């Protein structure tokens, strides 16, 4: 147990240069890009080829459902990773956790590219695929939460939305890289080549990116907010009993400082978490439908070329390089709450028209629908999510609560949503259930944003939640 130090000893001012901020921004962007590239590589493979090479003895519709279910397995492991690494990140710092998580993600993704297929080893092939998805998910469960926390805690207050949006830009970059790789493979390889060896290349190439990301994060300084926390001593957060003893030791000397610590450990948790979860459901649910399910649905059920849905994701991701920072800057100027409500309501209004465009039979209309849905209902909301969720939580449990909100929201929507959508569209023979799901997800986020406080400019060193 630590001795009971004074708060002046535990919370020295942390200084970071522009170079430190740049390294943190690149690190957060790159790690998140790698996470989303890994998962988008898998989601596209699940939609395009995995139903044939890992689940070949079933009908195309059942094979798609099985591949999507295997995709969803990773989200269960993400929840375990969020709990384990989230607590570690709040206890010993953000940087150390982010090195571990990226190693787990990169190694498991690379090994997926080396897996034997069902034709080679039978049922063991999909079993190994599930195992690697579990390892990949365990590392990814805290990756984006850690990158979000790190960037938000590094950023200047007036530019926090813009800087934190780089996490969302990382997701966009990863999606673009994965979709671009798949678009190239589909365009230049025959179906036999794609199924026999071509699908392995994107997974194996991720190893190089992992090495660079680990090197970059190894030289990164810890979050200044973590170092300034009044409950952190020598780089490690005090547990509750240590905080209580510190409060007793300093209360007679400095009542204000004592109250700062007390606020962090005695606040009743829950309201901020559920508001963050509601904000997460719209973005995650829309992402699972647009970036994962629709790619497989279009390729399987609509009479269009198999490269068209992946091309649409590429174009939407390119436009996202403007959408994400623009939304971040608007959030810095006008606040998080009004922008959240506007984007989620716009997604509700556009859900049926977007699905009509996608299923109209016109390739330009399909492209337009996918690009609009991706930028408004997914990337725009993600840009806001990256900063708002970090601001909702106090610094003592920010990593853990943010990771849990993201991963529980992911399980409820991104993991289950594509499987539910596949089942509903198979039963109804129509696209309207997809539009209904987009509306429901976005309405949940709208209501959550309406009930949430405005968090722009909040002091992130404070230990207690915003509500």
């Amino acid at each position: 147990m630590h001795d009971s130090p004074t708060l002046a000893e535990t919370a020295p001012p942390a200084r970071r240069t522009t170079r430190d901020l740049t390294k943190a921004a690149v690190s957060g962007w790159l790690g998140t890009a790698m996470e989303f590239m890994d998962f988008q590589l898998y989601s596209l493979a699940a939609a395009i080829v995995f139903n044939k090479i890992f689940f070949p003895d079933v009908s195309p519709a059942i094979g798609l459902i099985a591949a999507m279910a295997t995709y969803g397995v990773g989200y269960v492991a993400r929840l375990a990773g969020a709990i384990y690494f989230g607590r570690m990140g709040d206890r010993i710092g953000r940087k150390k956790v982010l090195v571990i998580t990226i190693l787990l993600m990169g190694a498991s993704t690379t090994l997926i590219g080396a897996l034997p297929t069902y034709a080679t080893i039978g049922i063991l092939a999909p079993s190994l695929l599930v195992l690697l998805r579990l390892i990949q998910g365990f590392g990814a469960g805290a990756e984006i939460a850690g990158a979000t926390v790190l960037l938000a805690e590094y950023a200047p207050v007036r530019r926090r939305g813009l800087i934190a949006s780089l996490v969302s830009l990382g997701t966009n970059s990863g999606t673009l890289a994965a979709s671009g790789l798949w678009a190239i493979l589909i365009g230049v390889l025959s179906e036999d080549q794609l199924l026999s060896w071509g699908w392995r290349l994107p997974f194996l190439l991720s190893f190089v990116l992992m090495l660079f990301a680990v090197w970059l994060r190894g030289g990164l300084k810890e979050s200044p907010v973590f170092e300034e926390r009044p409950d952190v001593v020598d780089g490690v957060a005090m547990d509750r009993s240590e905080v209580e003893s510190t409060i007793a030791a300093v209360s007679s000397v400095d009542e204000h400082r004592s109250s700062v610590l007390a606020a962090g450990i005695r606040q009743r948790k829950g309201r901020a978490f559920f508001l963050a979860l509601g904000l997460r459901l719209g973005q995650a649910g829309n992402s699972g439908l647009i970036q994962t399910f629709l790619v497989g649905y279009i390729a399987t059920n609509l009479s269009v070329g198999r490269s068209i849905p992946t091309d649409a994701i590429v174009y939407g991701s390119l436009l996202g390089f403007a959408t994400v920072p623009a939304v971040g800057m608007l959030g810095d100027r006008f606040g998080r709450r009004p922008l959240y409500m506007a984007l989620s309501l716009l997604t509700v209004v556009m859900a049926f028209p977007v699905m009509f465009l996608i299923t109209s039979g016109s390739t330009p209309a399909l492209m337009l629908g996918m690009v609009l849905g991706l930028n408004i209902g997914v990337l725009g909301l993600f840009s806001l999510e990256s900063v708002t969720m970090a601001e909702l939580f106090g610094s003592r449990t920010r990593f853990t609560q943010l990771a849990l909100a993201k991963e529980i929201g992911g399980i409820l929507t991104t993991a289950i949503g594509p499987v539910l959508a596949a089942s509903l569209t198979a039963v109804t023979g129509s696209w309207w259930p997809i539009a209904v799901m987009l509306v429901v997800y976005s309405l949940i986020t709208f209501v959550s944003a309406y009930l949430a406080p405005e968090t722009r400019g909040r002091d992130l060193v404070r230990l207690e939640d915003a509500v």
Side-chain angles (χ1 to χ4, degrees):
M1 178 180 291
H2 298 293
D3 293 332
S4 298
T6 66
L7 291 182
E9 293 174 315
T10 64
R15 304 299 182 199
R16 294 294 181 267
T17 65
T18 301
R19 183 179 180 183
D20 292 329
L21 176 59
T22 301
K23 288 181 69 175
V26 174
S27 171
W29 164 78
L30 182 61
T32 308
M34 182 174 172
E35 175 192 350
F36 268 72
M37 187 181 79
D38 291 349
F39 270 71
Q40 186 70 0
L41 283 177
Y42 185 91
S43 65
L44 291 173
I48 297 170
V49 299
F50 278 3
N51 60 324
K52 299 175 184 177
I53 61 179
F54 288 105
F55 309 97
D57 293 340
V58 295
S59 69
I62 298 299
L64 179 60
I65 293 174
M68 290 298 172
T70 307
Y71 168 81
V73 162
Y75 283 87
V76 178
R78 288 176 71 110
L79 180 58
I83 296 171
Y84 181 80
F85 289 118
R87 289 178 176 175
M88 184 186 294
D90 283 326
R91 177 75 172 167
I92 66 172
R94 318 328 189 180
K95 171 193 166 179
K96 295 175 184 177
V97 169
L98 288 173
V99 172
I100 298 171
T101 56
I102 208 162
L103 278 169
L104 285 175
M105 286 165 40
S108 56
T109 301
T110 302
L111 289 174
I112 287 176
L115 276 180
T117 64
Y118 186 92
T120 304
I121 59 172
I123 193 65
L124 188 58
S127 300
L128 290 173
L129 181 64
V130 170
L131 175 62
L132 290 176
R133 280 287 293 164
L134 289 172
I135 297 172
Q136 185 189 55
F138 187 65
E143 168 60 36
I144 193 168
T148 298
V149 169
L150 187 74
L151 272 187
E153 291 183 346
Y154 252 92
V157 174
R158 292 185 178 182
R159 293 291 180 264
R160 190 183 289 156
L162 174 60
I163 299 298
S165 75
L166 291 176
V167 173
S168 310
L169 207 56
T171 70
N172 194 41
S173 302
T175 299
L176 177 61
S179 301
L181 284 171
W182 271 106
I184 292 171
L185 290 174
I186 290 172
V188 303
L189 297 180
S190 67
E191 184 168 355
D192 288 342
Q193 290 173 323
L194 188 65
L195 294 175
S196 62
W197 56 267
W199 67 271
R200 300 180 184 276
L201 296 179
F203 294 96
L204 297 175
L205 288 172
S206 68
F207 181 73
V208 178
L209 187 59
M210 179 195 72
L211 291 179
F212 178 68
V214 170
W215 171 79
L216 182 64
R217 286 186 174 178
L220 186 64
K221 292 182 180 178
E222 183 53 76
S223 153
V225 168
F226 181 81
E227 292 185 350
E228 290 175 13
R229 274 172 49 182
D231 62 335
V232 169
V233 181
D234 297 327
V236 178
M238 294 182 286
D239 60 27
R240 187 180 183 91
S241 63
E242 291 172 323
V243 174
E244 292 282 6
S245 64
T246 301
I247 291 172
V250 302
S251 60
S252 61
V253 179
D254 192 331
E255 292 184 2
H256 171 70
R257 290 179 175 178
S258 177
S259 67
V260 169
L261 278 176
I265 64 170
R266 295 173 183 169
Q267 180 190 37
R268 296 183 64 181
K269 303 291 182 183
R271 186 177 178 187
F273 177 81
F274 285 108
L275 288 173
L277 181 61
L279 296 177
R280 171 68 170 158
L281 290 179
Q283 187 279 330
N286 295 344
S287 175
L289 292 176
I290 294 170
Q291 294 179 263
T292 302
F293 175 73
L294 276 177
V295 173
Y297 179 82
I298 291 167
T300 304
N301 296 278
L302 304 182
S303 300
V304 296
R306 61 181 181 175
S307 65
I308 290 177
T310 54
D311 289 344
I313 295 295
V314 170
Y315 298 144
S317 297
L318 286 172
L319 181 59
F321 281 100
T323 300
V324 167
V327 171
M329 288 188 289
L330 288 172
D332 282 330
R333 181 169 183 179
F334 299 107
R336 326 300 185 203
R337 187 169 171 268
L339 212 54
Y340 243 124
M341 290 190 290
L343 287 176
S344 55
L345 187 60
L346 184 58
T347 306
V348 169
V349 172
M350 292 181 59
F352 277 88
V354 161
M355 284 307 304
F356 180 78
L357 289 172
I358 291 172
T359 59
S360 66
S362 165
T363 297
L366 185 154
M367 294 280 188
L368 178 61
M370 291 284 282
V371 168
L372 287 174
L374 179 62
N375 277 269
I376 296 173
V378 179
L379 297 177
L381 290 178
F382 213 157
S383 181
L384 286 170
E385 178 184 301
S386 296
V387 64
T388 308
M389 290 176 68
E391 292 172 330
L392 275 172
F393 299 124
S395 61
R396 183 168 170 83
T397 58
R398 177 172 294 128
F399 200 148
T400 304
Q401 290 200 83
L402 197 154
L404 283 174
K406 280 184 174 290
E407 299 315 320
I408 291 174
I411 290 174
L412 294 176
T413 55
T414 312
I416 297 175
V419 180
L420 178 61
S423 302
L424 291 175
T425 53
V427 170
T428 62
S430 177
W431 54 263
W432 65 261
I434 307 171
V436 171
M437 291 176 70
L438 289 170
V439 168
V440 171
Y441 289 146
S442 301
L443 281 176
I444 292 172
T445 289
F446 177 83
V447 172
S448 300
Y450 178 79
L451 296 174
E454 178 55 62
T455 59
R456 179 182 55 166
R458 188 168 188 263
D459 181 6
L460 295 187
V461 179
R462 295 177 63 176
L463 298 180
E464 72 274 18
D465 295 341
V467 289

